[in-house]
Amino acid sequence: MTGFTEGVEPVDMSIAASGERSGEMTLVFELDAIRAFDDPEAVFDDAREWSRYVGIVAHDTDAVAAFLADRDVEQDFDLGDRDIWLIMDGIREDSDAPRHVFVGSTPEDRRIADATGWEYRTPAEVADAAGWSLVGDDGTDGSVESGLFTRLWARITD
């Protein structure tokens, strides 16, 4: 177990992937990072094709549950009501995939990945590698902030 959780009881993340998964990777998106993609549902579905486990995490687990429910998407992890640091450590401990990739968009996301033994990637890096489009591919700067602004503006003006 990593240093920051020394003395803390391991958390069973109840990984429950449906069907046989043989991918080489556990892929986890931070909630704001998955929102940076033009079509988060397609990203999630596509990632299932080549990942053993796929999920979304955030400090606000209720927001993750709402995001998943709004899009009728099921993830492979039961987050419970845990801190994101414990969630990431628990997923890492319970996942039998040889590679663990955390897609985040903030310096804190990078710290979480580093401290819990995950490979860190940004939405732009994985979009480029996987052929996915970012919200900003329509002429905005492609940042998570830009995507958030666009969504908020759309809600205000509708």
Side-chain angles (χ1 to χ4, degrees), residues 8 19-20 24-25 34 62 69 81 87 91 98 101 110 112 121 124 128 143:
V8 175
E20 259 210 47
E24 295 293 315
M25 178 189 315
I34 192 75
D62 291 335
D81 202 16
I87 290 169
I91 293 170
V101 177
R110 182 177 293 278
I112 291 168
R121 295 286 180 254
D128 186 48
S143 68

Side-chain angles (χ1 to χ4, degrees), residues 6 18-19 24 34 36 47 54-55 60-61 71 74-75 85-86 88 90-91 93 96 100 114 125 137 141 144 152:
E6 230 169 89
S18 58
E24 295 293 315
I34 192 75
V54 182
D60 184 352
T61 56
R71 287 153 183 83
E74 283 190 42
Q75 68 174 347
W85 293 78
L86 289 175
M88 293 298 291
I91 293 170
E93 290 287 321
D96 58 351
H100 299 83
D114 291 344
E125 290 171 322
D137 287 349
D141 69 359
V144 172
L152 287 173

Side-chain angles (χ1 to χ4, degrees), residues 3-62:
F4 76 91
T5 58
E6 230 169 89
V8 175
E9 201 58 34
V11 179
D12 176 17
M13 294 312 300
S14 303
I15 293 177
S18 58
E20 259 210 47
R21 300 272 181 84
S22 60
E24 295 293 315
M25 178 189 315
T26 296
L27 181 62
V28 174
F29 298 90
E30 198 282 329
L31 183 57
D32 286 335
I34 192 75
R35 288 178 172 153
F37 294 96
D38 187 43
D39 188 351
E41 296 89 342
V43 167
F44 207 86
D45 289 341
D46 191 31
R48 282 198 183 283
E49 297 296 319
W50 41 266
S51 298
R52 193 171 301 177
Y53 306 112
V54 182
I56 300 171
V57 298
H59 287 289
D60 184 352
T61 56
D62 291 335

Side-chain angles (χ1 to χ4, degrees), residues 64-135:
V64 173
F67 180 87
L68 295 167
D70 287 348
R71 287 153 183 83
D72 196 27
V73 173
E74 283 190 42
Q75 68 174 347
D76 297 325
F77 316 112
D78 176 17
L79 303 181
D81 202 16
R82 299 173 189 97
D83 176 82
I84 191 170
W85 293 78
L86 289 175
I87 290 169
M88 293 298 291
D89 198 46
I91 293 170
R92 177 78 169 88
E93 290 287 321
D94 290 350
S95 169
D96 58 351
R99 185 175 177 201
H100 299 83
V101 177
F102 180 44
V103 181
S105 57
T106 67
E108 182 184 12
D109 293 340
R110 182 177 293 278
R111 284 192 299 276
I112 291 168
D114 291 344
T116 56
W118 288 75
E119 182 181 329
Y120 179 80
R121 295 286 180 254
T122 64
E125 290 171 322
V126 296
D128 186 48
W132 297 327
S133 297
L134 296 173
V135 170

